[in-house]
């Protein structure tokens, strides 16, 4: 059992990162190519927000943020940032499902989108937690952290 712990610590961040990337990349086809369900969803949101006519900008913008988070999750050195980005994007998705006219189950399919958003949100938090030790290196790379003596 003691040998399982290091293997799990090594594998778990990659399982979470791959899950996040898979979900985000899978749904890009709907956002980037204007699938009618995706267009409808973002039209509901932009109309509700008072930005009628800006559905495409929001849809492509969200898709771009998801693609960036997916790519960050797939590179070991940036998994902390990718996990936080995924959590941030999914916080927005969860918020809009809960408070907007979309509702929890906009497609009447058992709330698949909402459940996946919750799972990706949790995976992003988990990935960020597991990679939290990378923060000093990331800050140094960005010239924001203390310089080594």
């Amino acid at each position: 059992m003691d040998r399982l712990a290091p293997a799990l610590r090594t594998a778990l961040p990659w399982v979470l990162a791959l899950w996040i990337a898979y979900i985000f990349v899978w749904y890009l086809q709907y956002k980037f190519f204007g699938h009618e369900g995706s267009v409808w969803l973002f039209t509901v949101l932009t109309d509700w927000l008072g930005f009628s006519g800006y559905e495409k900008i929001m849809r492509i913008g969200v898709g771009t943020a998801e693609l960036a988070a997916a790519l960050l999750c797939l590179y070991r050195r940036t998994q902390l940032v990718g996990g936080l980005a995924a959590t941030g994007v999914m916080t927005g998705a969860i918020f809009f499902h809960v408070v907007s006219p979309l509702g929890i189950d906009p497609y009447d399919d058992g709330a698949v989108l909402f459940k996946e958003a919750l799972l990706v949100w949790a995976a992003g938090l988990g990935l960020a937690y597991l990679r939290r030790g990378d923060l000093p290196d990331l800050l140094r790379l960005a010239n924001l952290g203390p310089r080594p003596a």
Side-chain angles (χ1 to χ4, degrees):
M1 187 67 175
D2 289 336
R3 289 186 296 181
L4 182 62
L8 187 59
R9 269 185 267 139
T10 301
L12 186 56
W14 286 105
V15 169
L16 296 173
L18 290 171
W19 166 254
I20 293 165
Y22 168 75
I23 291 296
F24 281 164
V25 171
W26 172 258
Y27 282 105
L28 284 181
Q29 64 184 312
Y30 301 104
K31 290 178 182 82
F32 284 174
F33 296 111
H35 184 272
E36 80 177 59
S38 188
V39 169
W40 171 81
L41 186 144
F42 283 98
T43 299
V44 169
L45 290 179
T46 53
D47 289 353
W48 180 72
L49 289 167
F51 296 114
S52 296
Y54 289 92
E55 162 277 323
K56 186 174 186 178
I57 292 171
M58 186 175 184
R59 178 172 43 84
I60 299 298
V62 168
T64 302
E66 290 176 353
L67 177 59
L71 292 173
L72 288 166
C73 285
L74 292 175
Y75 182 55
R76 165 63 185 90
R77 202 172 210 181
T78 58
Q79 284 181 335
L80 170 62
V81 177
L84 293 173
T87 301
V89 171
M90 289 298 99
T91 297
I94 293 164
F95 172 81
F96 284 117
H97 276 284
V98 171
V99 304
S100 80
L102 269 184
I104 301 295
D105 192 5
Y107 298 123
D108 198 28
D109 61 356
V112 170
L113 275 181
F114 185 73
K115 291 173 186 174
E116 287 176 343
L118 291 173
L119 289 172
V120 171
W121 183 86
L125 274 183
L127 181 59
Y129 177 79
L130 292 169
R131 296 298 192 206
R132 69 192 181 281
D134 294 346
L135 185 58
D137 290 336
L138 287 172
L139 291 174
R140 254 191 311 282
L141 282 172
N143 290 318
L144 298 173
R147 304 269 187 249

